[in-house]
């Protein structure tokens, strides 16, 4: 799973927006919002969290700055500085523990970490965190400019947490706004959906995303945008993880030769995701269709579809167990050997040749765990 980056992207001191493509949605949210609960629908990697934080900052801004004719957070007032420092007393942000740790987001209430370091971090927003949020909502605003509760993403509210939130969504105290984000409204309970006004954050045009990535110092941004299905923040995360355009382009030929070293230092979920993309592009080439993620001339064109299908199913199986304590080096080596065999299985061979998992793929079942 590629995690949405972006908690570090914030409004500048001059009121400059963290992402240029959020301007219209921000103006729409500030100009038309009627209710006190807003559900932001944004595709993964398009910037849901930076946008939600910008909107919260605009609501809390004590100057109500005007930049370019549209109302935006000023970036300079005391309230804006507190949001930027992640310590605004009237903004409560609930993230699942996995995201909170990844972005180094401070815990609410200055609670000590307790035993959190000893157990696996939660991927859900837990009910005790929602109850803490509800207690906080009913306290008086510290700075007198209202309060904002932000839950990102609301998809990871479990049933108990969502039910605990319903009354607050329906009737929050005066001056309190609740902001939820989702990549897929179908994942949100109907009882939550019906209490929220909805707002869509449009995906950035490819050229705008590429220009923004170049401004962030990413070289050949079109290559990484293709690698990430056009998801700008995922492309930035990939670049910041050390995978530049050259490293990405090196993947297909290295995998075809069975050279697992190309993935040295990569986490297993990213290796599996990348092999899935290579498998997809090899299938596209085998069918005479254009590739999506890699340059067409880097992807073998003659692989056999049955072998590619077996490879794809094996990758699905590994992806479902991405939290399994694999021995990573052995797993990556086996994955690359399986990939090389699937890519080498030629369409001219007998149809049965690639229909079963290759020996290297079968070897995954016997790996020590
Ligand atoms: Zn301000």
């Amino acid at each position: 799973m590629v995690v949405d980056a972006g908690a570090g992207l914030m409004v500048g001191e001059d009121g400059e927006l963290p992402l240029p493509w959020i301007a219209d949605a921000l103006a729409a949210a500030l100009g038309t919002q009627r209710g006190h609960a807003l559900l932001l629908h944004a595709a993964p990697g398009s910037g849901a969290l930076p946008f939600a934080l910008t909107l919260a900052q605009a609501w809390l801004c004590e100057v109500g700055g005007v930049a370019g004719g549209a109302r935006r957070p000023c970036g300079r007032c005391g309230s804006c500085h507190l949001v930027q420092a992640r310590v605004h007393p009237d903004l409560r942000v609930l993230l699942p523990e996995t995201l909170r740790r990844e972005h180094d987001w401070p815990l609410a209430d200055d609670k000590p970490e307790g035993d959190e370091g000893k157990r696996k971090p939660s991927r859900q927003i837990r009910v005790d965190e929602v109850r803490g949020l509800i207690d906080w909502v009913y306290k008086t605003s510290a700075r007198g400019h209202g309060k904002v509760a932000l839950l990102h993403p609301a998809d990871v509210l479990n049933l108990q947490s969502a039910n605990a939130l319903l009354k607050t969504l329906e009737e929050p105290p005066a001056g309190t706004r609740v902001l939820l984000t989702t990549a897929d409204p179908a994942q949100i309970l109907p009882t939550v959906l019906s209490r929220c006004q909805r707002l869509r954050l449009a995906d950035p045009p490819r050229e705008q995303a590429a220009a923004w990535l170049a401004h962030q110092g990413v070289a050949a941004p079109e290559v990484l945008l293709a690698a990430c299905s056009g998801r700008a923040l995922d492309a930035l995360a990939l670049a910041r993880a050390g995978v530049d355009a050259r490293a990405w382009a090196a993947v297909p030929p290295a995998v075809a030769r069975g050279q697992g070293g190309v993935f040295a230092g990569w986490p297993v979920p990213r290796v599996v995701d990348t092999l899935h993309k290579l498998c997809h592009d090899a299938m596209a080439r085998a069918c005479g269709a254009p590739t999506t993620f890699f340059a067409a001339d880097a992807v073998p064109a003659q692989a056999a579809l049955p072998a590619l299908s077996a490879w794809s199913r094996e990758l699905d199986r590994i992806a479902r167990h991405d939290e399994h304590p694999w021995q990573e080096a052995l797993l990556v080596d086996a994955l690359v050997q399986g990939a090389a065999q699937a890519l080498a299985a030629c369409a001219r061979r007998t149809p049965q040749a690639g229909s079963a998992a290759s020996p290297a793929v079968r070897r995954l079942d016997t790996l020590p765990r």
Side-chain angles (χ1 to χ4, degrees):
M1 185 185 73
V2 179
V3 176
D4 190 14
L9 297 165
M10 302 204 104
V11 177
E13 284 274 324
D14 53 358
E16 188 187 350
L17 296 177
L19 301 168
W21 56 87
I22 66 175
D24 289 349
L26 182 67
L30 293 171
T32 65
Q33 203 216 346
R34 298 176 299 278
H36 36 248
L38 187 66
L39 178 70
L40 171 66
H41 175 197
S46 63
L49 184 54
F51 174 72
L53 288 167
T54 301
L55 181 55
Q57 186 171 340
W59 281 330
L60 294 168
C61 178
E62 289 160 5
V63 174
V66 174
R71 190 165 163 256
R72 295 178 176 187
C74 75
R76 291 183 303 277
C77 72
S79 177
C80 281
H81 281 154
L82 288 168
V83 173
Q84 284 154 349
R86 304 178 175 188
V87 292
H88 198 298
D90 295 325
L91 171 63
R92 178 67 67 94
V93 179
L94 281 198
L95 307 171
E97 200 176 334
T98 46
L99 273 188
R100 186 164 58 68
R101 289 186 180 196
E102 182 186 334
H103 296 307
D104 200 21
W105 199 271
L107 268 173
D109 292 338
D110 298 323
K111 275 191 222 151
E113 282 277 342
D115 66 350
E116 286 188 344
K118 294 174 192 163
R119 58 175 170 75
K120 208 177 201 43
S122 171
R123 290 187 174 197
Q124 294 195 325
I125 294 177
R126 299 193 314 261
V127 67
D128 59 308
E129 295 172 309
V130 172
R131 289 192 181 122
L133 176 85
I134 293 167
D135 289 345
W136 170 85
V137 156
Y138 287 94
K139 291 176 184 162
T140 310
S141 161
R143 294 180 69 89
H145 274 77
K147 301 170 75 165
V148 182
L150 164 60
L151 294 92
H152 168 81
D155 320 39
V156 297
L157 283 168
N158 61 32
L159 183 65
Q160 205 182 6
S161 303
N163 282 335
L165 193 64
L166 288 182
K167 186 171 178 303
T168 305
L169 280 178
E170 191 151 286
E171 272 187 281
T176 298
R177 299 174 194 267
V178 184
L179 182 52
L180 309 168
T181 75
T182 183
D184 179 9
Q187 299 298 317
I188 307 291
L189 283 179
T191 45
V192 171
L193 277 182
S194 66
R195 286 164 170 82
C196 296
Q197 186 186 340
R198 290 206 221 176
L199 179 72
R200 179 84 166 93
L201 176 64
D203 294 346
R206 196 60 87 99
E207 304 76 39
Q208 191 179 31
W212 175 76
L213 284 166
H215 187 65
Q216 304 296 314
V218 176
E222 299 81 8
V223 174
L224 294 190
L225 273 175
C228 297
S229 312
R231 297 174 175 182
L233 271 70
D234 290 355
L236 181 66
L238 199 58
R240 289 188 174 166
V243 183
D244 60 12
R246 184 178 300 194
W248 185 257
V251 166
V255 170
R257 289 194 295 268
Q259 295 168 343
V262 73
F263 293 132
W266 290 35
V268 166
R270 189 191 301 144
V271 173
V272 174
D273 184 56
T274 300
L275 290 176
H276 251 139
K277 289 171 175 173
L278 180 55
C279 183
H280 169 280
D281 278 2
M283 285 181 173
R285 288 276 278 159
C287 299
T291 55
T292 301
F293 306 105
F294 295 96
D297 57 6
V299 179
Q302 296 298 322
L305 282 172
L308 295 177
S309 297
W311 177 26
S312 177
R313 286 195 300 275
E314 179 59 16
L315 290 171
D316 285 340
R317 193 178 73 83
I318 298 292
R320 282 195 296 274
H321 300 286
D322 70 347
E323 288 191 34
H324 192 90
W326 301 103
Q327 293 208 2
E328 293 196 3
L330 286 174
L331 175 65
V332 170
D333 180 57
L335 285 171
V336 171
Q337 297 312 316
Q341 291 184 17
L343 289 171
C346 180
R348 286 188 295 275
R349 291 183 193 165
T350 57
Q352 292 82 8
S355 58
S358 68
V361 170
R362 283 201 301 274
R363 247 177 62 207
L364 293 178
D365 291 324
T366 61
L367 279 175
R369 297 175 181 182

